[in-house]
Amino acid sequence: MDIGELLLSRGLVSRDQIQRGLQQAGKRLDHSLVELGFLSEEAALQAIGEELGMRYVELGQVDVDPELLGHFPAREIFRHALFPIRRRNGSVVMATSDPFDLESLDELGSLSGFHLEPVLARREDIVRLIKERLGVGGDTIGELVAQRSEEDIELLEGIEAQEGELAEMAQAASVVRLVNELLIEALNQKSSDVHLEPQEKGLMIRYRIDGVLRVQPVPPEINQFSAAIISRLKIMARLNIAEKRLPQDGRIKLRVQGREIDVRVSIIPMLHGEGIVMRLLDKSRMVFNLKNVGLPTDMAATFFDLINLPHGIVLVTGPTGSGKTTTLYSALNEIKSPEVKIITVEDPVEYHMDGISQIQVHSKIGLTFAAGLRSILRHDPDVILIGEIRDSETANSAIQASLTGHLVFSTLHTNDTAGAFTRLVDMGVEPYLVASTIEGILAQRLVRVLCKLCKQPFKPGPGDLPDDFPKPWPAEIFKPVGCRTCRDTGYSGRIGIYELLRTDAGARQLCIEQASAGKIKEYGLAQGMTTLRMNGWDKVRQGITSVEEVNRMTKGDIR
C-alpha cells in the first residue's frame, strides 16, 4: 500500500506535506505526518483501516469486558500496546494502533489460544486503558518488560551507598523501574503532588492534578513491593532508610526526558506504615509572566503600581497551593533589572531565577526568616521577598525593612485581603505600624479551567446560579462534560481568581482602630473592591470556568 497516495487521494494531506514527511528517516510516513502535526492519528487510522477493511473504534465509547484481560499475558499486552475489548462469534476483538503489525497479533493469538479480530484505535487511548486495567507499572511488577531507554530517569545528584537487605531490595532493577514509571506517569498527567499512602489493605497511590486528588490504578501485587518502593525513594532523597519512626524531609533532583524536575519528599510514619508525599516542580513548565496569571485588566494595573513602589509591604494571601509563590515570582520577574537589587529568603527555594539573589532557610542552624532578613538588610537590597510571614519576629522584621526604605513582598495564610490586617495585629505588630507599611494585599485561589474541546454551553435556570451571582444573568454559561483529552474530568489546567485591596487613608484608619476584618472588607467593597467570588463569576461569564468550581474554591462574600 502506498500510504502517501492513499492519504493524498482522500485530501488529508498535501504533496508538500508528504515530501516533508518522507524526510523523517526511519519512520513510517503516516507516523511522520502525525508527528509533524499535518494529520491526526485518528484520521490516518480511519483512512488506512477503510483501505484494509479494518474498523476504527473510539475506546471511550466501547464497553470493555473486564474479565477478558486476565486471559492474556500482561507482558505482551504492555509490550505491543494491544487491548482485548470483547468476545464476538468465538473470536476476541483486539484493539491495535498499528494495522501493519500482524506479527504481534499472531504472537498474542498463539499465547492465548484465541482467534483475534483486530480493530484500530489511537495508541494513547490503548495505553491509557491498559494502565487503568492493569495499573501503572503493571508490566514491571514481575520484571515483565524492559523500560524503553527514552523514558529513563537520570538522578542529577549521586546517592549514598546503603547496606542491608532492604537496601538491596530497593536497588533491584524492577523496583527502580517501577518507581521511575510512577514518577513518569505523574509528570505525563501534569500532577503537582504524588501521594503514597499505606492502608490496611495495601498501598494507595493518588496524584493531585489541577488541585484535585485522583486515585491512580495500580496492580494489587504492588503491595508486596511497598517497603522496597519507600526505601528506593528514601535512597533517592538521601534519607535514612533505617529510620521508620520519625518524619523525614528530603529532595530529589531528576532529569526526565530532557526536563529538569525537582521533587520535594516528605515522609511521615502512619498507622499502617510510612506515608510519602512528593511535590513535583517541573521547571520547564513554569513561565513567570504577570500577564498569564489571570489578573483582570484593572486589577493588574493597580497591582503593577504596587510592585513598583519605592517602599512598603505588598502581601499575597491564600491557602497552601493557591499559586501565591507563582504570583510573587511573576511580580519579581516584572520589576527585575540590572539597576534593582532583589534578594529573597525562602523555605524552600522552589525555582531559581537569574538576576535575583535567593537564600534558603535552615532553621536547624538558626537561619530563620527573621535571621535571614536581618542579614539581608546589610546587603544593600532594593526589593526583598520573604517566603512567608509565620511569626511575630518575622512580621516585625518585615515592618522594619519597609520603614527603612525597602519594598517587601511576602505571603500570609489568610482567607481574604481584610484578614491580613487583623492577622498581623494578632501576631503582635502594633496596629499603627501595620497601617503605615501595608500598601496592598492580593488574595487569590486557583480554579480549574474548562476543557476547550468538550465544554458545553447551556442556558442557566433559577436553580443553576447562586443568589450572589450578579444580575442580569447571562444568556448562557458553560459546564464541564469530559473527553479523552481532559481524561473525562471536563477541566484542563488552572487559572487564578483574585481580590485586591489597596490600602488608602480609610483602610489605614480602620486598622489603627483595630476594626474587625468584616468592617475592613465592607469598606473595601464600598470603595469598589472586587472580591474573589465576584472575580470568579466574571470568569464564569467568560466561559473560562464553571459555577461549581467557583463555589468549591470560595465562600459567600459579605454584602
Side-chain angles (χ1 to χ4, degrees):
M1 177 190 293
D2 189 326
I3 296 174
E5 290 301 323
L6 171 65
L7 299 176
L8 193 65
S9 67
R10 292 171 179 262
L12 295 174
V13 290
S14 66
R15 183 77 64 182
D16 180 57
Q17 288 171 336
I18 288 175
Q19 291 303 316
R20 289 182 60 184
L22 290 170
Q23 293 170 10
Q24 302 279 317
K27 293 182 181 177
R28 210 171 68 209
L29 179 58
D30 54 322
H31 291 170
S32 297
L33 293 170
V34 170
E35 193 174 293
L36 290 167
F38 298 146
L39 180 70
S40 71
E41 184 184 4
E42 181 180 344
L45 289 174
Q46 285 178 340
I48 296 171
E50 286 178 19
E51 188 71 14
L52 295 175
M54 298 171 70
R55 288 188 303 119
Y56 173 83
V57 297
E58 284 284 355
L59 289 183
Q61 301 169 5
V62 171
D63 291 329
V64 174
D65 181 353
E67 295 181 1
L68 189 57
L69 191 58
H71 295 285
F72 293 86
R75 175 184 179 182
E76 307 309 320
I77 291 292
F78 271 97
R79 187 155 69 95
H80 300 304
L82 299 170
F83 193 89
I85 299 173
R86 63 178 178 273
R87 285 189 174 96
R88 188 171 72 178
N89 299 330
S91 300
V92 172
V93 178
M94 182 70 68
T96 176
S97 61
D98 190 345
F100 301 107
D101 187 13
L102 301 179
E103 187 177 333
S104 297
L105 289 164
D106 289 342
E107 181 183 344
L108 197 58
S110 299
L111 289 170
S112 64
F114 289 105
H115 176 264
L116 304 184
E117 178 189 327
V119 295
L120 300 179
R122 293 169 71 248
R123 183 179 180 84
E124 183 183 340
D125 292 342
I126 295 173
V127 171
R128 178 168 56 84
L129 204 53
I130 291 171
K131 287 179 179 178
E132 284 177 1
R133 302 291 173 167
L134 292 177
V136 176
D139 53 340
T140 303
I141 291 294
E143 298 187 358
L144 300 172
V145 62
Q147 188 173 3
R148 295 189 298 273
S149 59
E150 66 266 20
E151 287 189 343
D152 281 344
I153 285 183
E154 178 188 352
L155 283 168
L156 298 181
E157 294 180 338
I159 58 178
E160 298 175 358
Q162 304 266 2
E163 295 182 358
E165 185 181 346
L166 202 57
E168 285 182 19
M169 285 178 61
Q171 298 294 70
S174 57
V175 174
V176 171
R177 286 203 303 269
L178 178 57
V179 170
N180 288 356
E181 285 185 24
L182 290 172
L183 290 171
I184 288 168
E185 182 67 14
L187 290 166
N188 287 342
Q189 294 193 34
K190 300 180 181 177
S191 309
S192 61
D193 302 84
V194 177
H195 294 238
L196 281 74
E197 303 165 333
Q199 309 284 322
E200 186 177 3
K201 296 181 179 178
L203 190 68
M204 176 188 282
I205 298 178
R206 296 195 285 177
Y207 294 163
R208 190 177 293 279
I209 303 169
D210 290 340
V212 178
L213 280 171
R214 299 184 201 163
V215 176
Q216 184 63 38
V218 290
E221 292 83 4
I222 200 170
N223 298 326
Q224 303 169 28
F225 299 88
S226 58
I229 291 168
I230 291 168
S231 296
R232 170 62 184 168
L233 288 168
K234 281 184 175 181
I235 290 170
M236 292 170 73
R238 304 167 70 86
L239 300 175
N240 181 1
I241 65 170
E243 180 56 77
K244 299 181 180 182
R245 301 164 300 171
L246 295 173
Q248 297 188 71
D249 292 317
R251 193 168 187 168
I252 306 171
K253 290 187 176 181
L254 306 170
R255 183 178 288 113
V256 182
Q257 299 168 351
R259 296 145 57 194
E260 282 196 21
I261 311 294
D262 269 2
V263 184
R264 295 210 314 259
V265 182
S266 174
I267 302 177
I268 298 178
M270 295 183 179
L271 186 62
H272 299 291
E274 292 176 287
I276 297 184
V277 174
M278 293 179 283
R279 167 65 59 88
L280 308 179
L281 302 172
D282 188 347
K283 297 178 181 179
S284 65
R285 285 176 52 202
M286 293 307 299
V287 179
F288 298 113
N289 187 334
L290 210 51
K291 295 175 182 176
N292 295 339
V293 298
L295 277 166
T297 306
D298 54 342
M299 206 180 286
T302 304
F303 189 65
F304 188 80
D305 289 343
L306 288 172
I307 65 176
N308 281 281
L309 290 172
H311 54 79
I313 297 177
V314 177
L315 294 175
V316 178
T317 75
T320 302
S322 58
K324 302 187 296 295
T325 302
T326 301
T327 299
L328 284 177
Y329 274 31
S330 299
L332 292 181
N333 207 36
E334 193 76 36
I335 63 174
K336 75 173 183 181
S337 72
E339 294 80 31
V340 178
K341 174 80 170 184
I342 302 174
I343 306 181
T344 76
V345 52
E346 305 168 66
D347 183 22
V349 175
E350 293 188 2
Y351 298 100
H352 302 285
M353 296 185 71
D354 293 332
I356 294 174
S357 304
Q358 295 172 279
I359 299 171
Q360 170 78 52
V361 165
H362 288 289
S363 300
K364 291 180 181 178
I365 59 171
L367 182 52
T368 61
F369 280 118
L373 192 47
R374 285 194 297 271
S375 301
I376 283 174
L377 293 177
R378 296 192 289 272
H379 221 69
D380 188 30
D382 298 300
V383 178
I384 298 168
L385 168 64
I386 306 168
E388 184 185 342
I389 295 178
R390 295 177 179 172
D391 51 42
S392 173
E393 189 181 8
T394 308
N396 280 298
S397 298
I399 296 286
Q400 293 304 315
S402 70
L403 290 172
T404 51
H406 303 91
L407 179 61
V408 180
F409 294 143
S410 190
T411 69
L412 200 62
H413 285 289
T414 61
N415 288 326
D416 56 13
T417 53
F421 291 103
T422 55
R423 179 71 187 277
L424 289 171
V425 172
D426 289 342
M427 283 183 177
V429 182
E430 291 294 337
Y432 74 91
L433 289 175
V434 175
S436 60
T437 55
I438 300 295
E439 295 294 339
I441 305 160
L442 182 75
Q444 69 178 79
R445 300 286 189 280
L446 291 177
V447 295
R448 291 183 293 173
V449 175
L450 287 165
C451 175
K452 294 178 181 177
L453 298 177
C454 66
K455 66 179 181 180
Q456 193 174 85
F458 77 102
K459 185 176 181 179
D464 295 321
L465 298 175
D467 294 338
D468 65 330
F469 198 101
K471 306 232 176 359
W473 286 358
E476 71 172 23
I477 57 175
F478 290 83
K479 63 181 179 181
V481 177
C483 63
R484 66 186 175 206
T485 303
C486 64
R487 295 179 179 267
D488 294 318
T489 62
Y491 299 94
S492 179
R494 290 189 291 175
I495 195 170
I497 55 173
Y498 300 92
E499 174 179 308
L500 179 60
L501 177 59
R502 186 163 191 173
T503 314
D504 60 10
R508 294 186 202 280
Q509 186 59 39
L510 286 170
C511 182
I512 291 170
E513 294 171 0
Q514 297 192 45
S516 68
K519 286 188 177 179
I520 296 173
K521 187 163 189 174
E522 284 180 346
Y523 175 80
L525 288 168
Q527 302 304 306
M529 179 181 77
T530 300
T531 65
L532 286 165
R533 204 161 164 90
M534 290 161 64
N535 184 221
W537 298 144
D538 285 342
K539 287 183 167 61
V540 171
R541 284 179 178 275
Q542 296 166 29
I544 296 172
T545 190
S546 66
V547 172
E548 293 79 13
E549 267 299 286
V550 177
N551 270 330
R552 185 174 70 90
M553 296 306 299
T554 65
K555 61 180 183 179
D557 292 318
I558 297 170
R559 283 286 174 262

